[in-house]
Amino acid sequence: MPSVIRPIVTFTLGSIIAAMVLALLPFDSDDSTDEAGDATSVATASSAEVTTDNATDEPEAEPEAEPSWVKHTIARGEVLGKILPNYGLPTRAVLEAASDIHDLTRIRAGKTLRFRFAPESEAADALSYKLDADRTLVVENQDGIWSARVEEIVYDRNTTIREFTVQRTLWGAATAAGLRPADIVSLAEVYQYDIDFNTEVRAGASAKMLVDELSVDGEVQRLGAPLAVRFTNRKDEFVAIQFTTSDGRTRYYDASGKARKRPFLRSPLRFSRVTSGFNKNRYHPVLKTRRPHNGVDFGAPTGTPVHAVGDAVVTWSGPNGGHGRFVKLNHEGPYETSYSHLSRVSVRKGQRVRQGDVIGYVGSTGLATGPHLHYQFWVNGKYVNPLTVPLPKGGEEVPAADRKAFEAHRDALILQLDGELPIEAAPQEEADVNVADAGL
Ligand SMILES: [Zn+2]
């Protein structure tokens, strides 16, 4: 899963560079004050050592005194430039230290910041912010220098069963079964090649999943990527088994050992709703005329990530008249797709992208009445309805060498799912797969 590891490596590199820069600065000033040779220059040099050491042997005056953490949930309209000084933090230094890893000015209302206070100190000396399910950003003051790093969150795992039946909406049913939004997304990702969770799930659909609860200090934070799922929608049953082949690739397979991965995702957005379908004779809400609607509109908030539906080369990235900020992809074979009205594009013309890569974000640039994604699909240069076009099937199989292992693994998981075997930690579930990033 190189794409899971890549961002972490990037961050590490970022902090190494930050550490190098930090290491250089004090030595420079040390040189410049060398003639003076006073106590200040000595102190500066030693603080540089502490910084490059990642503070493993920070000198401590009172080892028994524990720092305390204060939680701050960002309210609507509250800005970082006001929050940080309230906790005694220098806004600019903190933002600059964090900038290699995360742009803190972009965090929104509802998110939580935590501030660390040394005993009896009135100013915080560290800030932590949860970047995603697995990583926390820590910005810390060590001897007057602010630096940032990424900490991996370590979870305790407990394998369990979750199930629900859709009454009205998938979200309602899944939420009632204790799934959080991120858990629903990871369930949707298991089936992203088979079912568009936006449009295709019907009342009566049901899911039963074998899944790890991930806890910190005894408190469940979220679920892991499902180990096995049985999803029934209308008359179709979809079984998905998470399995890692001997070459280390983790994917979802159906019960027969066919990979669920397909050349195309059902939808470029994880969740949204269709606000306007493919229609050869539509009344255009902005132009006030009848003209064909050669794509599908998905309503979604500005900033929602838009995913490449398949591996492709970017053939257009940037403004394109009424389409606003626009990305067009040329896929293998006769297929092309495009994505209009983006608030931001995140790919360049000529770039290769992989299925699931974020190519831009939902917006309302060009001719648009509000934020939405206008999604087009071509086969042999002709517009087709992306919701109904027959898509090529992939169907890569479990390698022959892993066949026996897969069958044993599948049988054990299905027996556990059906309550015929006690639930045990599956032999394979060491790695928590980030389904989206792993390109499963
Ligand atoms: Zn449209």
Side-chain angles (χ1 to χ4, degrees), residues 178-191:
L179 275 71
R180 293 159 177 75
D183 307 328
I184 304 173
V185 170
S186 74
L187 176 63
E189 282 166 355
V190 172
Y191 293 108

Side-chain angles (χ1 to χ4, degrees), residues 351-433:
Q351 186 182 334
R352 286 192 166 277
V353 293
R354 298 194 56 190
Q355 184 179 64
D357 285 355
V358 174
I359 54 170
Y361 298 86
V362 170
S364 51
T365 56
L367 280 178
T369 48
H372 74 282
L373 177 71
H374 173 81
Y375 172 50
Q376 299 180 141
F377 203 109
W378 290 263
V379 178
N380 290 317
K382 287 213 173 73
Y383 292 112
V384 297
N385 183 349
L387 298 184
T388 56
V389 59
L391 296 174
K393 301 218 181 274
E396 204 176 301
E397 306 236 349
V398 171
D402 292 324
R403 189 79 215 179
K404 278 223 159 70
F406 169 77
E407 286 171 359
H409 178 70
R410 171 199 66 197
D411 294 348
L413 291 187
I414 287 184
L415 287 172
Q416 291 174 49
L417 195 60
D418 291 342
E420 288 165 30
L421 254 188
I423 295 170
E424 51 176 59
Q428 280 233 341
E429 53 80 40
E430 267 306 292
D432 176 38
V433 186

Side-chain angles (χ1 to χ4, degrees), residues 100-172:
D100 272 353
I101 298 169
H102 191 82
D103 181 359
L104 279 176
T105 58
R106 297 189 58 206
I107 62 178
R108 283 174 290 182
K111 296 279 190 176
T112 300
L113 293 167
R114 296 171 78 237
F115 296 95
R116 189 184 67 195
F117 288 86
E120 286 167 46
S121 171
E122 298 199 348
D125 61 358
L127 165 160
S128 90
Y129 172 67
K130 202 169 163 189
L131 291 169
D132 56 35
D134 298 307
R135 300 170 309 137
T136 302
L137 166 71
V138 179
V139 188
E140 197 173 19
N141 181 351
Q142 290 163 5
D143 300 301
I145 298 169
W146 289 88
S147 64
R149 64 173 188 275
V150 171
E151 281 183 359
E152 296 281 316
I153 302 167
V154 180
Y155 293 102
D156 296 322
R157 289 166 177 276
N158 174 39
T159 308
T160 177
I161 283 179
R162 294 290 169 95
E163 59 187 312
F164 60 85
T165 300
V166 175
Q167 310 290 342
R168 282 209 205 101
T169 67
L170 175 91
W171 277 86

Side-chain angles (χ1 to χ4, degrees), residues 276 282 293 295-297 341 372-375:
S276 182
R282 180 182 75 146
H293 189 230
V296 165
D297 290 346
H341 312 308
H372 74 282
L373 177 71
H374 173 81
Y375 172 50

